[in-house]
Amino acid sequence: RMTSHNMTWISYPSKNLDFTSPEEIEAFIASQNIISRLMHCYIAFFVPIGLIAGICILIIFIKNYLQHKVIENLDLFLLHFTISNIIMIFLSFTVITRPDYLKATHLACNVLSFFFNFSYFNSQHVLILALLILLLKRFPQRTALRGTQRPILCVGFVLTYSFCLSLTAAVLAGTDNYHLETDCQLDPLFAWPEYEIVKFTFGFGIPSFLQILCFTLLFAKEAPAEAPALRQHIRTYAAAYVISITIVICRLFYNVMILFRTALKLQKSIGTPKNEFVMNIAEIVLFCESCASLAFILCFHKPCK
């Protein structure tokens, strides 16, 4: 049954304060101050950089398309990636209330979570397509990757796959208590443990494995004699490779914290204020990655330069 999980017991440790010493109170206040400062730093520095870079990329790609009436496969994938990240940046404004949380009904929080996950899965999977395109450029005889030469079809597949994953995650966030007000995070605290497991597996585990596989093939496999040197290839397509490494590093921290939160749920524990503090940092790091990735495209991708 869809109501098999009762998550009404769960709440944020910061909302259930039970300090036994002045040191604990001081540590809690210090952690709240750090989260508040990180949030202000993110909103004041990273958000403008990310949005300005994203808008510039959109203008450049649209202008290039209008001039040449054709768009490169890699450019199309990076355009898709850019739009997904811009949406994530707008959704990240939910952290403005930190160290407190946005107040919303379960339904509203679930809707926000759906769009967040849709952008999250989109950006992760379209980057894998970009890496496959670069492998095809490096090893043109690989007929197995010819499917990536139909970019519109590939983008359509990623959109459909991401939509299905996001819908699954929305169902696993729970299907009852929609009218009740709650403290809302883009990954809802009240979600069932299966929510985080699905998100980790399909949003980080499998995509990261595929990214590492692409890098392994790139470095381990011998390229044809007519192919440019590996260093030259990486320099030419630096944007995709830099973004790929950045995503794996930033999302690793975030996904480890998501799994840790799942472990606490399975133990029927709300955790400690320190656990909540680190989860908040991981969330802000994830949003910083979205902004930084757009800046990297603007700085390293040849048409944008």
Side-chain angles (χ1 to χ4, degrees), residues 195-209:
Y195 169 93
E196 281 106 352
I197 293 166
V198 165
K199 181 152 183 175
F200 176 85
T201 305
F202 295 98
F204 181 76
I206 295 171
S208 295
F209 170 75

Side-chain angles (χ1 to χ4, degrees), residues 87-88 91 110-120 166:
I87 294 168
M88 275 183 72
L91 288 170
N110 214 345
V111 169
L112 283 173
S113 177
F114 171 82
F115 286 109
F116 167 62
N117 283 324
F118 187 52
S119 303
Y120 180 90
S166 304

Side-chain angles (χ1 to χ4, degrees), residues 10 40 44 55 65 70 73 76 147 154 162 172 241 245 282 284-285:
I10 202 161
H40 284 111
I55 291 164
Y65 177 75
V70 68
N73 295 1
L76 180 65
C154 292
S162 299
L172 294 174
Y241 293 123
I245 293 165
I284 293 171
V285 167

Side-chain angles (χ1 to χ4, degrees), residues 5 12 31 50 60 65 84 103 121 129 131 154 156 162 170-171 194 213 229 246 249 258 265 270-271 277 299-300 305:
H5 289 294
Y12 288 99
S31 68
I60 290 164
Y65 177 75
S84 296
K103 297 289 182 187
F121 291 131
L129 286 181
L131 292 176
C154 292
S162 299
V171 171
E194 289 89 341
L213 191 63
T246 307
I249 293 168
I258 274 183
K265 286 179 182 179
I270 63 170
F277 166 67
C299 293
F300 297 121
K305 284 199 290 184

Side-chain angles (χ1 to χ4, degrees), residues 185-247:
Q185 245 180 323
L186 290 176
D187 280 313
L189 183 70
F190 57 79
W192 302 346
E194 289 89 341
Y195 169 93
E196 281 106 352
I197 293 166
V198 165
K199 181 152 183 175
F200 176 85
T201 305
F202 295 98
F204 181 76
I206 295 171
S208 295
F209 170 75
L210 292 173
Q211 282 175 241
I212 291 165
L213 191 63
C214 286
F215 272 95
T216 304
L217 284 171
L218 181 71
F219 287 103
K221 188 168 175 59
E222 193 175 340
E226 67 274 12
L230 180 60
R231 187 177 293 179
Q232 178 62 40
H233 171 83
I234 291 172
R235 194 180 292 124
T236 305
Y237 304 108
Y241 293 123
V242 170
I243 291 165
S244 187
I245 293 165
T246 307
I247 277 187

Side-chain angles (χ1 to χ4, degrees), residues 12 94 97 100-113 177-186 188 190:
Y12 288 99
T94 53
T97 53
D100 202 358
Y101 297 92
L102 183 73
K103 297 289 182 187
T105 62
H106 280 236
L107 177 60
C109 195
N110 214 345
V111 169
L112 283 173
S113 177
N177 301 321
Y178 273 156
H179 60 288
L180 298 180
E181 195 176 66
T182 186
D183 294 307
C184 181
Q185 245 180 323
L186 290 176
F190 57 79

